[in-house]
Amino acid sequence: MRKYFFIIILIFTNLVILTYANNENNIMEGAVELGNELNYKNVKFIKKDSFEKVKELFRNKSFTGNFKYMDLQKNSYYRKKYLEVLKREKSYIDGNREEKLEEYPSKNRRDLGYCFFDMNGDDIPELIADDTPYYIYVFTFDKKSQKVKLLCFSRPTTEFLGDNHIYFCDDGKIGIFEGYFQLDNKGEWDSEMIFYSGGYPDENDSEKVKVLYTVGTREGSNQFKELRKIAKKNNETIYYNERNCVYCFRITEEQSNELMKPYIKIREKSKENIKKVTYTYNKLF
């Protein structure tokens, strides 16, 4: 299972393009490249019965919008360890190396926003340090090494949806990418659903713009194999969007809204519930 969070951010901000060496074209056999806006008119819609299968595939009931509160007094040890990193007194683990935090781009540590809760269900509180408009850092504590570990960091367009779930959006020049992700207790991504919408010229009226909607996932996620099964069984075309490395189906605007509706409700719920585990520097430390 791949660690995706940092990669996700680079993809959505167009800093890198990942490729897969499945064949000489770097995409899986049978998939068709989505191409650029001029090709969108040729992209086929998914059939209705196939969409029902896709809807079931991406119905993730584990998105609850709840945040597990961790008592501050009982978890004073972890708060102390996080504070040592924030004050740059101690290093933290980042992959296979140890690092010290850079100076915060916009403010000092006393002015950052903080969340403190058990994010991945291991009974160890994670710390989110929000340095908007620059980065959001997510730290955990590694019991084996007895050191603070960087789980991930992201842009401020990230939203935490309770427990180990995250939403990310990039509204850029090449279209809108929206992703819903699930993190396991090792900091690895095991579930994801990625939407894309992008405009393209109306061949019948140059002053009008049509919109392409897709939903899909990337190779390595839990849903990827099922996505391929749907395509094979129902003779559907899977498209590969190299802009975010997603294998996807074309859907209608109505179908896109239908898939997103329950997740939008979770986002609204999460914005309220996260306040229960949000702290100022003085309150937390």
Side-chain angles (χ1 to χ4, degrees), residues 34-219:
L34 191 63
N36 59 32
E37 291 80 358
L38 298 178
N39 187 57
Y40 286 175
K41 64 181 180 181
N42 300 317
V43 178
K44 300 177 182 178
F45 286 97
I46 190 173
K47 294 188 279 289
K48 288 184 179 181
D49 56 337
S50 298
F51 174 71
E52 292 302 316
K53 297 292 184 182
V54 169
K55 187 166 63 173
E56 184 63 30
L57 174 62
F58 289 118
R59 183 181 289 120
N60 193 329
K61 296 180 180 180
S62 66
F63 281 75
T64 63
N66 297 321
F67 296 80
K68 185 178 179 180
Y69 172 81
M70 302 296 281
D71 185 88
L72 298 187
Q73 193 63 36
K74 292 180 180 179
N75 290 280
S76 58
Y77 174 77
Y78 298 113
R79 291 191 292 121
K80 177 184 176 182
K81 292 298 182 181
Y82 288 138
L83 182 58
E84 290 173 344
V85 170
L86 292 173
K87 294 169 72 174
R88 306 181 74 240
E89 295 174 352
K90 299 286 187 179
S91 60
Y92 63 89
I93 300 172
D94 184 5
N96 296 320
R97 63 186 187 276
E98 291 191 17
E99 301 281 354
K100 280 194 174 181
L101 275 178
E102 300 290 336
E103 295 292 338
Y104 302 106
S106 62
K107 347 176 156 87
N108 65 51
R109 64 179 181 275
R110 294 182 179 276
D111 295 326
L112 303 184
Y114 295 97
C115 293
F116 187 75
F117 66 100
D118 181 8
M119 183 177 178
N120 52 15
D122 59 359
D123 292 322
I124 295 175
E126 275 66 50
L127 176 72
I128 297 173
D130 186 352
D131 189 23
T132 299
Y134 295 95
Y135 294 105
I136 299 174
Y137 304 84
V138 182
F139 295 102
T140 191
F141 188 78
D142 183 59
K143 282 191 173 182
K144 185 176 180 180
S145 65
Q146 288 294 296
K147 283 185 173 291
V148 172
K149 177 181 177 182
L150 180 68
L151 269 182
C152 54
F153 75 93
S154 70
R155 297 288 184 182
T157 50
T158 299
E159 295 178 17
F160 296 90
L161 304 181
D163 299 326
N164 58 345
H165 301 98
I166 289 174
Y167 165 81
F168 188 85
C169 177
D170 180 37
D171 187 354
K173 294 181 180 179
I174 61 173
I176 301 174
F177 296 105
E178 295 184 79
Y180 294 86
F181 307 96
Q182 181 174 317
L183 186 72
D184 68 15
N185 59 8
K186 295 181 180 180
E188 298 178 348
W189 297 99
D190 57 10
S191 180
E192 63 182 37
M193 174 175 63
I194 301 174
F195 293 92
Y196 170 74
S197 59
Y200 65 97
D202 186 330
E203 62 271 24
N204 298 318
D205 189 339
S206 60
E207 295 184 358
K208 292 184 178 180
V209 175
K210 291 185 176 181
V211 180
L212 171 85
Y213 295 90
T214 69
V215 65
T217 189
R218 282 173 309 182
E219 188 173 5

Side-chain angles (χ1 to χ4, degrees), residues 5 28 34 58 74-75 105 129 163 226 240 272 283:
F5 197 87
M28 78 171 188
L34 191 63
F58 289 118
K74 292 180 180 179
N75 290 280
D163 299 326
E226 293 304 316
Y240 178 72
E272 286 300 314
K283 180 69 174 178

Side-chain angles (χ1 to χ4, degrees), residues 237-249:
T237 302
I238 292 183
Y239 292 92
Y240 178 72
N241 189 344
E242 68 173 9
R243 289 169 170 170
N244 59 357
C245 304
V246 168
Y247 290 94
C248 57
F249 293 125

